[in-house]
Amino acid sequence: GAVVSQHPSRVICKSGTSVKIECRSLDFQATTMFWYRQFPKQSLMLMATSNEGSKATYEQGVEKDKFLINHASLTLSTLTVTSAHPEDSSFYICSARKAYEQFFGPGTRLTVL
Amino acid sequence: RKEVEQDPGPFNVPEGATVAFNCTYSNSASQSFFWYRQDCRKEPKLLMSVYSSGNEDGRFTAQLNRASQYISLLIRDSKLSDSATYLCVVNRPTSGTYKYIFGTGTRLKVLA
């Protein structure tokens, strides 16, 4: 199997606070993980590619200083949304690569008040 | 123009109907292709990979036409539980690695 977990599943925070989301591959090691964002009625948009032991690669238009990614081990990547604002409210989904496939976590619904 | 295009729907069909979804992609370097299913407020789940020879999994048939850069999904004998958004996904090379490009999805509603 290939199971990916995410924590927390839901978070509500005040504007200006930082939120950390964890993504774990539970039964396999993943040198590469991906972070996506999905707004209502839109598709998943890749934010960044997280590489174990090196810097993440960010997609065009995604601020690396706002969305901090750390991939310190082969089973864990974290995304920190710094100084969150209401426009950051979205569904954040991670995935972990195994061979040529990606396996998705259950997502984190972030609401910034 | 989006790199992966799908008709957003919604497709409202009665139970037992056959329904087909289409998807086109613009990058000819795309290597592999998938259909994912996404339920409301949930993560996408892999429905099936798509191969050039066409492949079938129960009531689901997927086809790939590389020359036309076109992918299709056929669902036979629709069930109420098939109601979901179906995402066309293309895996293509970029900067020495690969990444998934998602279509916007096609919404299907199967009616009793």
Side-chain angles (χ1 to χ4, degrees):
Chain A
V3 181
V4 176
S5 71
Q6 254 182 270
H7 178 80
S9 58
R10 189 180 192 100
V11 58
I12 301 172
C13 68
K14 290 183 181 176
S15 188
T17 59
S18 293
V19 175
K20 182 189 276 191
I21 304 170
E22 292 185 350
C23 178
R24 292 181 189 273
S25 54
L26 298 185
D27 52 0
F28 67 102
Q29 293 184 328
T31 53
T32 305
M33 292 184 174
F34 302 88
W35 287 97
Y36 295 85
R37 182 167 53 180
Q38 186 177 33
F39 292 107
K41 295 193 192 310
Q42 294 186 26
S43 191
L44 278 75
M45 295 300 295
L46 180 64
M47 299 175 68
T49 302
S50 170
N51 302 298
E52 188 268 336
S54 65
K55 288 183 182 178
T57 305
Y58 289 81
E59 295 297 300
Q60 196 171 10
V62 178
E63 298 173 58
K64 62 181 180 184
D65 294 329
K66 180 169 178 65
F67 298 99
L68 301 179
I69 290 171
N70 186 289
H71 194 155
S73 80
L74 287 171
T75 58
L76 173 64
S77 175
T78 60
L79 168 69
T80 301
V81 183
T82 62
S83 186
H85 287 100
E87 58 265 30
D88 297 323
S89 299
S90 189
F91 191 43
Y92 292 84
I93 307 175
C94 74
S95 71
R97 176 185 283 160
K98 183 179 180 184
Y100 290 105
E101 281 190 50
Q102 290 184 32
F103 296 88
F104 289 85
T108 297
R109 193 158 298 280
L110 171 64
T111 303
V112 185
L113 302 175
Chain B
R1 185 178 173 225
K2 293 188 172 65
E3 187 172 339
V4 178
E5 297 248 31
Q6 290 182 255
D7 180 343
F11 284 55
N12 296 322
V13 302
E15 257 187 304
T18 295
V19 61
F21 304 141
N22 303 320
C23 169
T24 57
Y25 61 96
S26 60
N27 193 317
S28 59
S30 301
Q31 297 284 312
S32 49
F33 310 87
F34 308 91
W35 283 102
Y36 275 75
R37 171 196 167 123
Q38 187 174 26
D39 292 286
C40 190
R41 304 172 81 84
K42 300 279 190 184
E43 79 277 22
K45 291 192 189 295
L46 179 65
L47 181 65
M48 58 199 301
S49 301
V50 188
Y51 304 114
S52 296
S53 53
N55 48 301
E56 190 174 305
D57 183 1
R59 297 180 294 108
F60 300 86
T61 302
Q63 296 273 357
L64 166 65
N65 184 321
R66 283 189 186 267
S68 303
Q69 296 182 188
Y70 171 93
I71 305 159
S72 66
L73 176 69
L74 184 78
I75 305 176
R76 288 181 299 278
D77 189 22
S78 300
K79 311 288 184 196
L80 293 175
S81 56
D82 294 333
S83 297
T85 296
Y86 290 83
L87 303 169
C88 176
V89 182
V90 163
N91 189 26
R92 68 149 167 91
T94 178
S95 305
T97 184
Y98 287 82
K99 67 178 184 181
Y100 276 15
I101 308 296
F102 284 81
T104 49
T106 299
R107 278 183 53 215
L108 171 66
K109 193 164 185 180
V110 181
L111 307 169

